[in-house]
Amino acid sequence: MNDQEHLKTLADIKNLMERASKFISLSGLSGIFIGFYALAGAAAAAWYVNSYNYKLTSYYYPVVSTDGALAGSFLNFFLVDSLAVLTLSLLTGYVFTHRLAKKQGFMRWDTTAKRMLINLLIPLATGGLFCLVLAHHHQAGLVAPSMLLFYGLSLLNASKYTHNELRTLGILEIILGLISAMHVEYGLIFWALGFGVLHIIYGITMYYRYER
Amino acid sequence: MKEFILGLNREFESRVRLGIMSVLMVNEKAEFKTLRELLDLTDGNLASHLSALEKAGYIKVKKQFIDRKPNTTYSATKDGKKAFSEHLNLLEKFLKTQ
């Protein structure tokens, strides 16, 4: 073996280790759809708030339950709304990822996929439960920032096991979450930016880079 | 130069074996079909290299049944990981001194 061959061997090994440790079939295209679901969900929430003649600016402050009944019904609506967005998003993500994996020539719903998912889900589930706790304590204003923050941290954690772009998305979500925590009255708008607009941009980027 | 050749592990002469070890370095375990897809090999070719590595004591084989289907997973042994790292270090050192 000469130099060139040794170099190539080392490059091959590096490449193989990377491919073997990362789940590269995570669909970016689904990100675009997920972004639109989130925008629709946010629009529905805004419509609900308006239809009760509540200004978002006043409503989105921590609810100290001066009007307990309505606070409860708003939280219930928001829960159903966000669960619908979440379910649709997970379904779309699963279907598109499955399709992409097939197209790339392997159905590796195996170690790499599982490792990425579990590292995504642990902080994400923690965040979900924490948001329910916030709602329980009538801190509705902090729900949107917390969702952004925990989602960003989850992405950051999962990004070690997939494309690096997910890391950037995670960091952007965290920044957005922190800013929105300082401006709780605009929670819904930040939420739409983070889960809607950022997903769409991310999806388009990933689609053009890896999936065409 | 001679020292270098003597130091290089003969078990890793083949690209395929290096490939198998690379995958098992970053994954705790890997199934036969995962290795086959990653390395793009035929069943027979992969199997013969796997058994050579097993004989050298560099990988462990675990056979079990999942839903009554046979399932074989491979993992790198401590010796295998050590030998592979040493092999890589040597390759690197050799390239640097050139």
Side-chain angles (χ1 to χ4, degrees), chain B residues 70-88:
Chain B
N71 172 284
T72 315
T73 54
Y74 300 86
S75 57
T77 62
K78 223 178 193 173
D79 280 353
K81 285 183 179 171
K82 193 166 158 251
F84 182 75
S85 309
E86 278 168 3
H87 185 83
L88 281 195

Side-chain angles (χ1 to χ4, degrees), chain A residues 67-89:
Chain A
D67 190 354
L70 204 69
S73 82
F74 177 72
L75 283 178
N76 283 343
F77 176 84
F78 203 77
L79 196 67
V80 172
D81 187 26
S82 43
L83 277 179
V85 171
L86 182 69
T87 312
L88 266 176
S89 302

Side-chain angles (χ1 to χ4, degrees), chain B residues 2-98:
Chain B
K2 202 166 191 176
E3 200 182 331
F4 170 72
I5 290 172
L6 287 175
L8 269 188
N9 197 323
R10 291 186 61 84
E11 296 297 336
F12 293 139
E13 258 173 11
S14 135
R15 268 244 165 78
V16 176
R17 290 183 203 173
L18 278 175
I20 294 168
M21 289 309 291
S22 312
V23 175
L24 295 180
M25 287 296 278
V26 289
N27 286 296
E28 243 173 86
K29 54 189 189 207
E31 284 179 28
F32 188 87
K33 64 177 195 301
T34 309
L35 286 170
R36 193 181 54 198
E37 279 162 4
L38 281 167
L39 299 163
D40 200 15
L41 293 169
T42 60
D43 283 7
N45 196 359
L46 178 59
S48 73
H49 284 294
L50 282 170
S51 69
L53 284 173
E54 192 193 354
K55 232 173 262 165
Y58 289 166
I59 61 173
K60 269 195 308 251
V61 186
K62 194 176 159 201
K63 286 181 197 215
Q64 58 184 356
F65 285 87
I66 295 177
D67 293 334
R68 289 188 198 163
K69 271 185 263 171
N71 172 284
T72 315
T73 54
Y74 300 86
S75 57
T77 62
K78 223 178 193 173
D79 280 353
K81 285 183 179 171
K82 193 166 158 251
F84 182 75
S85 309
E86 278 168 3
H87 185 83
L88 281 195
N89 286 340
L90 219 59
L91 272 183
E92 214 170 356
K93 211 157 69 187
F94 174 69
L95 284 168
K96 268 187 198 144
T97 53
Q98 286 300 102

Side-chain angles (χ1 to χ4, degrees), chain A residues 144-146 148-149 172-182 190:
Chain A
S146 304
L148 287 167
L149 280 173
L172 290 175
E173 301 281 4
I174 292 171
I175 294 171
L176 215 54
L178 285 174
I179 299 172
S180 89
M182 290 302 293
F190 280 108

Side-chain angles (χ1 to χ4, degrees), chain A residues 139-195:
Chain A
Q139 298 293 319
L142 287 174
V143 169
S146 304
M147 281 172 105
L148 287 167
L149 280 173
F150 278 98
Y151 184 57
L153 291 169
S154 310
L155 293 181
L156 198 70
N157 205 36
S159 69
K160 279 170 263 171
Y161 308 103
T162 181
H163 291 298
N164 274 329
E165 285 84 347
L166 204 67
R167 189 181 156 83
T168 315
L169 180 63
I171 291 170
L172 290 175
E173 301 281 4
I174 292 171
I175 294 171
L176 215 54
L178 285 174
I179 299 172
S180 89
M182 290 302 293
H183 302 277
V184 282
E185 66 273 30
Y186 300 114
L188 204 50
I189 293 168
F190 280 108
W191 195 91
L193 274 177
F195 287 97

